[in-house]
Amino acid sequence: MLLCDFHIHTKYSDGSVELRRTIDLFGQAGFDVIAITDHVVNGDNGIGKLAHRFRLSVRENNFDEYISNVRQEAERALDKYGMLVVPGVEISKNYLSSEKSAHILLIDIKEFISASWSFEKIFLAAKEQEALIIACHPHHMSDFSRETLFLWNNRDKYAKYIDAWEIANRDDVFNVISLKKYPYIANSDFHRARHLYSWKTLLNCEKSVESIKQCIRHNKGVAITLFRN
Ligand code: ZN
Ligand code: ZN
C-alpha cells in the first residue's frame, strides 16, 4: 500500500521547515505520496489580518509562485525518491470561537481560492478545479486551542461537499468519524520535523494523482497507521 500524508505545512505559512527540506524529510523516510498544504487564512477579521501581516498565509499575490515551486519540487521528488508530491492548501477560516472555525484541505488545487469566501463558494470552486476536499481536525483535540468544530456541528448541511474527513490528525483520533461511517484519511498536520511521526494514510491504488483522488473518494482500500521512528 502507498504510505501517504496529505497535510503538510512549510515556511510558506506557519511551518518551521523550508519546502525543499520538507520534501527531503518525507522522501528519505520512504513516503510514496504527500500533499503540501500551506494555510490560506481568511483576511476578514483581526486574527486573519495578523496572519497575513506576518506572512503566515499563502496570499492571492504569491499563490502562483507557491504552486509553481511545489510543482518544481514535485519533479525533483519523483526523480530522487519516486515520491509523488501534490500541491494543495489548507483553507483556514479562523475565528475567536472554535464553533465558528473550520479548516479544509484542498488537494490538487490549481487556482487561488479565498478563505474569506462563503463555505458554499469555496466548495463549488474546489469542485470546479476537481480538487479533493478534506475536513481537517473536525472534532475535539488534545490541544483545544487548535479546535475547529464548525463543519462537524453543521455536517448535515456540508457533508455532501466533503470527500473525506480526517479521522486522525497528528496524535489525535476522532472516533465520531468512524461512528458516522464517513470517508476518512489520517494526516500529520506537519509543522516541525518531529511531526513526521504521527498518524498517516495507507492507500491501495496506483501512484497517480487521479487514482489517489478516486481511492479516497470511494474510500475503498484505505487504512490508517501510526508511523513511528
Ligand atoms: Zn488546521
Ligand atoms: Zn494544518
Side-chain angles (χ1 to χ4, degrees):
M1 290 180 96
L2 302 175
L3 178 61
C4 311
D5 192 337
F6 298 102
H7 190 162
I8 297 170
H9 300 280
T10 73
K11 283 196 170 175
Y12 271 100
S13 60
D14 61 351
S16 67
V17 187
E18 294 277 4
L19 171 62
R20 192 181 178 90
R21 174 81 188 117
T22 304
I23 301 285
D24 287 329
L25 274 174
F26 280 87
Q28 286 158 11
F31 279 76
D32 297 293
V33 184
I34 63 170
I36 301 297
T37 56
D38 273 298
H39 293 281
V40 171
V41 180
N42 58 320
D44 57 357
N45 65 16
I47 315 172
K49 286 194 172 84
L50 279 177
H52 282 245
R53 180 172 307 164
F54 291 106
R55 300 184 174 261
L56 301 173
S57 171
V58 173
R59 302 163 311 279
E60 190 163 12
N61 64 12
N62 73 342
F63 176 81
D64 289 345
E65 175 205 315
Y66 164 70
I67 294 292
S68 90
N69 282 354
V70 174
R71 289 202 184 284
Q72 217 174 317
E73 276 300 308
E75 275 180 38
R76 190 178 69 88
L78 200 59
D79 260 15
K80 192 165 181 187
Y81 304 110
M83 179 173 75
L84 189 67
V85 177
V86 189
V89 293
E90 181 176 13
I91 295 289
S92 306
K93 281 183 163 294
N94 294 333
Y95 297 94
L96 280 179
S97 159
S98 60
E99 306 275 330
K100 281 184 76 181
S101 301
H103 286 189
I104 306 152
L105 298 177
L106 302 179
I107 293 163
D108 193 27
I109 187 175
K110 289 107 187 162
E111 281 164 46
F112 184 74
I113 289 178
S114 167
S116 303
W117 294 351
S118 71
F119 283 97
E120 278 88 355
K121 189 170 173 185
I122 290 169
F123 289 137
L124 292 175
K127 293 246 180 263
E128 209 160 289
Q129 297 185 31
E130 295 177 1
L132 200 61
I133 301 173
I134 309 292
C136 303
H137 39 78
H139 210 248
H140 296 299
M141 302 181 82
S142 48
D143 175 2
F144 66 87
S145 69
R146 294 172 63 224
E147 282 184 359
T148 50
L149 302 172
F150 181 86
L151 288 175
W152 181 258
N153 291 345
N154 294 278
R155 59 192 177 279
D156 291 344
K157 186 169 176 193
Y158 293 111
K160 65 179 178 202
Y161 297 109
I162 294 167
D163 291 310
W165 299 68
E166 278 187 343
I167 198 166
N169 174 292
R170 198 179 301 159
D171 302 309
D172 289 289
V173 180
F174 310 107
N175 66 340
V176 291
I177 302 305
S178 121
L179 290 168
K180 266 278 174 189
K181 299 189 167 49
Y182 280 154
Y184 66 90
I185 59 171
N187 295 316
S188 67
D189 205 347
F190 178 96
H191 285 78
R192 311 177 169 279
R194 65 182 154 84
H195 298 157
L196 192 62
Y197 307 109
S198 55
W199 285 98
K200 307 292 181 213
T201 305
L202 296 169
L203 296 182
N204 188 11
C205 68
E206 269 176 45
K207 200 191 291 185
S208 76
V209 177
E210 286 316 311
S211 306
I212 284 153
K213 290 199 293 190
Q214 206 175 15
C215 186
I216 292 173
R217 285 190 177 123
H218 294 173
N219 229 235
K220 281 186 188 153
V222 180
I224 65 172
T225 186
L226 184 53
F227 183 76
R228 283 188 170 148
N229 193 357

